[in-house]
Amino acid sequence: MSEYVVEPKSRWQLRQLANVLRDKLGLHDTLFFPIVELLDLMCELFEGFSYEIVPDSEFPPNIHGDTNILKQHIRIKESVYNGAANGVGRDRMTIAHEIGHYFTLCFCGFTFQRNFNKQEVPAFQSPEWQAKCFAGELLIPAHLTQNMNPWEIEMECGVSGKAASYQYNIMHRR
Amino acid sequence: MITKIGDFLRKLRLDNQQILKDMAEVLGVSSAFLSAVENGKKSMPDSWCNILKESYKLSDDDVDNLRQAAMESQKSISLNLQSASPSNRQLAVSFARQFDSMDADTSQKILRILRDRKKTGGS
């Protein structure tokens, strides 16, 4: 159950957002997105943004990072950061996911509210789905990968096999 | 949350097309430790000035800026009183006690004394 409800955004809208970021960075045609490098760049580009690499012991085992919306501060677990720096697809996606929270909620200012009634939240209104969708679209851009198979996507974009297959299925569903 | 030393170090690695992990390896520390320094949770070790100067070919002006940034980012200062004379010990303790309530005029006077002493060759 999602703790928050965000204003509705479609995959198409989040794809546009990811592509705007790519274009602004001059990375429209780049398959392997430099997600670790982006963290430092964001500190330069977006006033108030900061990030921190935190020892693994400070996070519960199943949590890999978090984003404080009010402080515009992203925390990444050290093993995840080092993994992403070494090109591990799953870790690269985790960083993209947290950046997704920042972009949707802090930068774009999508409005959100607490889900006090614990109602079922549709995917397109869930902050977790929106961040996941943004991350997938950022690291696996449809305009560059639509003619690739999942294995090629995994290799070229530096993502996990699971993420490559997920995004492939979305691009080819009828 | 980023401190002045964090800004300095980030710009330095961006100029050198490095990421935080690369700089942490140059400094011989973990990514988390370097990040803690940048976020003001740990003080910058003194040895970093020389390592950074050598590794990134910093000018004397750059090193001065680095030291200034490190000083401005520091949250606490510790003094080793073990071998201090009784009068120096007394000075340190009364300074620490009055530090929070010290007015700008008094701190300027103390700074002037220390700077004059430095100019005349005091250590």
Side-chain angles (χ1 to χ4, degrees), chain B residues 42-88:
Chain B
K42 284 190 163 63
S43 295
M44 185 183 95
D46 293 337
S47 62
W48 285 17
C49 275
N50 278 337
I51 300 173
L52 291 167
K53 184 181 180 181
E54 292 297 315
S55 305
Y56 295 94
K57 310 283 179 235
L58 298 184
S59 66
D60 289 343
D61 278 353
D62 290 335
V63 175
D64 281 347
N65 290 338
L66 168 65
R67 288 212 166 95
Q68 183 71 22
M71 190 193 74
E72 287 178 27
S73 307
Q74 225 164 346
K75 285 193 172 164
S76 65
I77 294 171
S78 64
L79 281 179
N80 185 354
L81 300 177
Q82 223 165 8
S83 53
S85 66
S87 63
N88 278 5

Side-chain angles (χ1 to χ4, degrees), chain A residues 102-164:
Chain A
Y102 170 81
F103 268 98
T104 52
L105 300 173
C106 296
F107 184 73
C108 294
F110 294 174
T111 53
F112 64 101
Q113 58 191 42
R114 287 293 284 270
N115 182 14
F116 283 117
N117 299 331
K118 302 284 179 206
Q119 288 177 331
E120 195 65 44
V121 176
F124 58 88
Q125 282 188 277
S126 153
E128 287 310 314
W129 180 85
Q130 289 191 3
K132 182 183 175 182
C133 178
F134 175 89
E137 295 294 336
L138 184 66
L139 295 193
I140 309 170
H143 65 282
L144 297 178
T145 57
Q146 57 199 351
N147 295 322
M148 290 183 179
N149 63 41
W151 187 82
E152 288 170 329
I153 292 172
E154 182 182 345
M155 292 297 117
E156 296 287 345
C157 298
V159 296
S160 67
K162 192 176 165 187

Side-chain angles (χ1 to χ4, degrees), chain A residues 57-123:
Chain A
S57 56
E58 291 184 24
F59 271 115
N62 56 336
I63 304 290
H64 305 295
D66 59 23
T67 302
N68 184 320
I69 307 302
L70 296 176
K71 293 181 176 172
Q72 302 183 61
H73 185 69
I74 289 179
R75 299 192 311 151
I76 309 283
K77 199 182 232 184
E78 185 171 31
S79 59
V80 170
Y81 173 81
N82 288 338
N86 291 330
V88 176
R90 182 173 179 267
D91 296 333
R92 283 170 44 76
M93 192 62 83
T94 298
I95 293 181
H97 181 102
E98 296 308 327
I99 289 174
H101 281 307
Y102 170 81
F103 268 98
T104 52
L105 300 173
C106 296
F107 184 73
C108 294
F110 294 174
T111 53
F112 64 101
Q113 58 191 42
R114 287 293 284 270
N115 182 14
F116 283 117
N117 299 331
K118 302 284 179 206
Q119 288 177 331
E120 195 65 44
V121 176

Side-chain angles (χ1 to χ4, degrees), chain A residues 22 26-34 138-139 141 143-144:
Chain A
R22 277 181 162 268
L27 298 170
H28 184 80
D29 297 322
T30 302
L31 273 167
F32 190 91
F33 189 90
L138 184 66
L139 295 193
H143 65 282
L144 297 178

